Amino acid sequence: MAEDDQSKKTTNNPKSYQERKECIKRKSMELATLCDIKICIVITGPNGELQTWPDNLDACKEVLDLYSQNLKPKKKHKESSTPEPEEEQGKKDLLTLVESKLVIVNRRIRFLVNKNVVVADNGKRKRIE
């Protein structure tokens, strides 16, 4: 009985494969049209046959080239004693931010010292005028 199931699978396989292949091609065409994107499908059949969509191999090659370009890893910068221009700009921005905060804090300290706002008196605070 198990052999009968296997034989059904092998006889239905080409039909099922053909239906699914056509469905994938149709959905790919819809996706390419509706989203205005480039799509390429490479299908290997049960007999080892290779099929592509679109049938124009130049269009497939163009999509595959885009794919392979995006797979390349980004080059990592070697650690060096001199920072890269972007890193240097980021450090300058951070330094500018810290300096501006420091200026604000120093102004507040001078204001409080000049006004003598708070003086400690045995753990209690009182205002001196």
Side-chain angles (χ1 to χ4, degrees):
M1 181 138 180
E3 292 176 12
D4 292 335
D5 290 339
Q6 284 293 339
S7 64
K8 283 184 181 180
K9 285 182 182 179
T10 56
T11 57
N12 290 337
N13 196 14
K15 183 178 179 183
S16 176
Y17 164 74
Q18 190 65 27
E19 289 174 1
R20 290 175 186 231
K21 181 181 75 169
E22 293 304 319
C23 180
I24 289 172
K25 284 184 178 182
R26 185 177 66 249
K27 293 295 182 182
S28 298
M29 286 189 289
E30 290 173 7
L31 185 63
T33 303
L34 293 174
C35 297
D36 193 29
I37 58 175
K38 296 179 182 180
I39 295 178
C40 172
I41 301 173
V42 179
I43 302 172
T44 304
N47 299 336
E49 59 187 320
L50 188 66
Q51 297 180 354
T52 61
W53 182 87
D55 293 330
N56 180 2
L57 292 180
D58 291 334
C60 288
K61 186 173 182 343
E62 182 181 340
V63 173
L64 291 174
D65 287 342
L66 285 172
Y67 177 75
S68 64
Q69 287 174 1
N70 288 328
L71 282 181
K72 292 179 182 174
K74 305 286 184 208
K75 291 184 179 179
K76 293 183 179 178
H77 296 291
K78 294 180 180 177
E79 292 185 25
S80 62
S81 59
T82 57
E84 293 295 320
E86 294 174 2
E87 293 175 12
E88 194 171 307
Q89 183 63 35
K91 288 180 181 179
K92 286 180 182 178
D93 291 343
L94 181 61
L95 184 60
T96 305
L97 177 67
V98 170
E99 287 175 347
S100 67
K101 296 286 184 181
L102 183 60
V103 167
I104 292 169
V105 168
N106 284 333
R107 283 184 193 157
R108 182 70 179 156
I109 290 171
R110 281 195 305 272
F111 172 77
L112 293 173
V113 167
N114 289 338
K115 285 288 192 172
N116 290 326
V117 173
V118 178
V119 173
D121 182 37
N122 295 331
K124 296 181 182 176
R125 295 178 168 223
K126 67 179 187 179
R127 186 180 178 110
I128 298 177
E129 299 189 63

